[in-house]
PDB file of all heavy atoms in Angstrom:
ATOM      1  N   LEU A 354     -33.242 -13.191   9.702  1.00  0.00           N
ATOM      2  CA  LEU A 354     -34.018 -13.774  10.792  1.00  0.00           C
ATOM      3  C   LEU A 354     -34.814 -12.707  11.538  1.00  0.00           C
ATOM      4  O   LEU A 354     -36.004 -12.897  11.846  1.00  0.00           O
ATOM      5  CB  LEU A 354     -33.076 -14.513  11.752  1.00  0.00           C
ATOM      6  CG  LEU A 354     -33.729 -15.217  12.949  1.00  0.00           C
ATOM      7  CD1 LEU A 354     -34.726 -16.264  12.480  1.00  0.00           C
ATOM      8  CD2 LEU A 354     -32.660 -15.841  13.841  1.00  0.00           C
ATOM      9  N   LEU A 355     -34.193 -11.569  11.798  1.00  0.00           N
ATOM     10  CA  LEU A 355     -34.900 -10.487  12.483  1.00  0.00           C
ATOM     11  C   LEU A 355     -36.038  -9.933  11.627  1.00  0.00           C
ATOM     12  O   LEU A 355     -37.115  -9.611  12.156  1.00  0.00           O
ATOM     13  CB  LEU A 355     -33.914  -9.365  12.834  1.00  0.00           C
ATOM     14  CG  LEU A 355     -32.894  -9.684  13.939  1.00  0.00           C
ATOM     15  CD1 LEU A 355     -31.937  -8.519  14.125  1.00  0.00           C
ATOM     16  CD2 LEU A 355     -33.601 -10.003  15.250  1.00  0.00           C
ATOM     17  N   CYS A 356     -35.821  -9.836  10.341  1.00  0.00           N
ATOM     18  CA  CYS A 356     -36.889  -9.343   9.461  1.00  0.00           C
ATOM     19  C   CYS A 356     -38.088 -10.289   9.472  1.00  0.00           C
ATOM     20  O   CYS A 356     -39.256  -9.839   9.531  1.00  0.00           O
ATOM     21  CB  CYS A 356     -36.359  -9.191   8.036  1.00  0.00           C
ATOM     22  SG  CYS A 356     -35.213  -7.799   7.821  1.00  0.00           S
ATOM     23  N   LEU A 357     -37.841 -11.600   9.455  1.00  0.00           N
ATOM     24  CA  LEU A 357     -38.936 -12.562   9.492  1.00  0.00           C
ATOM     25  C   LEU A 357     -39.666 -12.516  10.829  1.00  0.00           C
ATOM     26  O   LEU A 357     -40.904 -12.625  10.880  1.00  0.00           O
ATOM     27  CB  LEU A 357     -38.400 -13.972   9.221  1.00  0.00           C
ATOM     28  CG  LEU A 357     -37.929 -14.240   7.788  1.00  0.00           C
ATOM     29  CD1 LEU A 357     -37.285 -15.610   7.686  1.00  0.00           C
ATOM     30  CD2 LEU A 357     -39.096 -14.120   6.818  1.00  0.00           C
ATOM     31  N   ILE A 358     -38.912 -12.347  11.926  1.00  0.00           N
ATOM     32  CA  ILE A 358     -39.541 -12.265  13.254  1.00  0.00           C
ATOM     33  C   ILE A 358     -40.409 -11.009  13.349  1.00  0.00           C
ATOM     34  O   ILE A 358     -41.544 -11.050  13.853  1.00  0.00           O
ATOM     35  CB  ILE A 358     -38.462 -12.288  14.354  1.00  0.00           C
ATOM     36  CG1 ILE A 358     -37.801 -13.671  14.416  1.00  0.00           C
ATOM     37  CG2 ILE A 358     -39.064 -11.947  15.710  1.00  0.00           C
ATOM     38  CD1 ILE A 358     -36.648 -13.760  15.398  1.00  0.00           C
ATOM     39  N   ILE A 359     -39.878  -9.881  12.858  1.00  0.00           N
ATOM     40  CA  ILE A 359     -40.666  -8.641  12.889  1.00  0.00           C
ATOM     41  C   ILE A 359     -41.898  -8.759  12.005  1.00  0.00           C
ATOM     42  O   ILE A 359     -42.999  -8.321  12.371  1.00  0.00           O
ATOM     43  CB  ILE A 359     -39.771  -7.455  12.459  1.00  0.00           C
ATOM     44  CG1 ILE A 359     -38.670  -7.220  13.489  1.00  0.00           C
ATOM     45  CG2 ILE A 359     -40.604  -6.194  12.288  1.00  0.00           C
ATOM     46  CD1 ILE A 359     -37.651  -6.174  13.071  1.00  0.00           C
ATOM     47  N   LEU A 360     -41.739  -9.368  10.822  1.00  0.00           N
ATOM     48  CA  LEU A 360     -42.884  -9.549   9.935  1.00  0.00           C
ATOM     49  C   LEU A 360     -43.947 -10.443  10.570  1.00  0.00           C
ATOM     50  O   LEU A 360     -45.151 -10.160  10.488  1.00  0.00           O
ATOM     51  CB  LEU A 360     -42.409 -10.136   8.603  1.00  0.00           C
ATOM     52  CG  LEU A 360     -43.484 -10.355   7.533  1.00  0.00           C
ATOM     53  CD1 LEU A 360     -44.122  -9.023   7.146  1.00  0.00           C
ATOM     54  CD2 LEU A 360     -42.877 -11.044   6.309  1.00  0.00           C
ATOM     55  N   GLY A 361     -43.491 -11.529  11.230  1.00  0.00           N
ATOM     56  CA  GLY A 361     -44.440 -12.405  11.906  1.00  0.00           C
ATOM     57  C   GLY A 361     -45.128 -11.715  13.061  1.00  0.00           C
ATOM     58  O   GLY A 361     -46.336 -11.910  13.301  1.00  0.00           O
ATOM     59  N   TYR A 362     -44.384 -10.854  13.790  1.00  0.00           N
ATOM     60  CA  TYR A 362     -44.977 -10.130  14.908  1.00  0.00           C
ATOM     61  C   TYR A 362     -46.033  -9.142  14.412  1.00  0.00           C
ATOM     62  O   TYR A 362     -47.084  -8.971  15.037  1.00  0.00           O
ATOM     63  CB  TYR A 362     -43.880  -9.404  15.681  1.00  0.00           C
ATOM     64  CG  TYR A 362     -44.378  -8.650  16.882  1.00  0.00           C
ATOM     65  CD1 TYR A 362     -44.679  -9.307  18.067  1.00  0.00           C
ATOM     66  CD2 TYR A 362     -44.543  -7.261  16.830  1.00  0.00           C
ATOM     67  CE1 TYR A 362     -45.139  -8.608  19.170  1.00  0.00           C
ATOM     68  CE2 TYR A 362     -45.011  -6.557  17.920  1.00  0.00           C
ATOM     69  CZ  TYR A 362     -45.305  -7.244  19.096  1.00  0.00           C
ATOM     70  OH  TYR A 362     -45.783  -6.553  20.185  1.00  0.00           O
ATOM     71  N   VAL A 363     -45.758  -8.483  13.282  1.00  0.00           N
ATOM     72  CA  VAL A 363     -46.733  -7.557  12.710  1.00  0.00           C
ATOM     73  C   VAL A 363     -47.998  -8.305  12.281  1.00  0.00           C
ATOM     74  O   VAL A 363     -49.129  -7.787  12.395  1.00  0.00           O
ATOM     75  CB  VAL A 363     -46.101  -6.794  11.526  1.00  0.00           C
ATOM     76  CG1 VAL A 363     -47.152  -5.980  10.769  1.00  0.00           C
ATOM     77  CG2 VAL A 363     -44.983  -5.885  12.007  1.00  0.00           C
ATOM     78  N   CYS A 364     -47.811  -9.525  11.804  1.00  0.00           N
ATOM     79  CA  CYS A 364     -48.964 -10.320  11.361  1.00  0.00           C
ATOM     80  C   CYS A 364     -49.670 -11.025  12.520  1.00  0.00           C
ATOM     81  O   CYS A 364     -50.624 -11.791  12.282  1.00  0.00           O
ATOM     82  CB  CYS A 364     -48.520 -11.341  10.326  1.00  0.00           C
ATOM     83  SG  CYS A 364     -47.907 -10.601   8.785  1.00  0.00           S
ATOM     84  N   GLY A 365     -49.180 -10.826  13.754  1.00  0.00           N
ATOM     85  CA  GLY A 365     -49.853 -11.381  14.915  1.00  0.00           C
ATOM     86  C   GLY A 365     -49.304 -12.692  15.425  1.00  0.00           C
ATOM     87  O   GLY A 365     -49.960 -13.371  16.237  1.00  0.00           O
ATOM     88  N   TYR A 366     -48.091 -13.087  14.989  1.00  0.00           N
ATOM     89  CA  TYR A 366     -47.503 -14.346  15.428  1.00  0.00           C
ATOM     90  C   TYR A 366     -46.463 -14.071  16.517  1.00  0.00           C
ATOM     91  O   TYR A 366     -45.697 -13.101  16.443  1.00  0.00           O
ATOM     92  CB  TYR A 366     -46.829 -15.077  14.267  1.00  0.00           C
ATOM     93  CG  TYR A 366     -47.817 -15.577  13.229  1.00  0.00           C
ATOM     94  CD1 TYR A 366     -48.055 -14.826  12.082  1.00  0.00           C
ATOM     95  CD2 TYR A 366     -48.490 -16.776  13.397  1.00  0.00           C
ATOM     96  CE1 TYR A 366     -48.945 -15.259  11.124  1.00  0.00           C
ATOM     97  CE2 TYR A 366     -49.391 -17.228  12.445  1.00  0.00           C
ATOM     98  CZ  TYR A 366     -49.613 -16.460  11.304  1.00  0.00           C
ATOM     99  OH  TYR A 366     -50.512 -16.899  10.364  1.00  0.00           O
TER     100      TYR A 366
END
Side-chain angles (χ1 to χ4, degrees):
L354 181 60
L355 290 177
C356 288
L357 290 174
I358 291 175
I359 294 174
L360 182 62
Y362 181 78
V363 171
C364 295
Y366 292 97

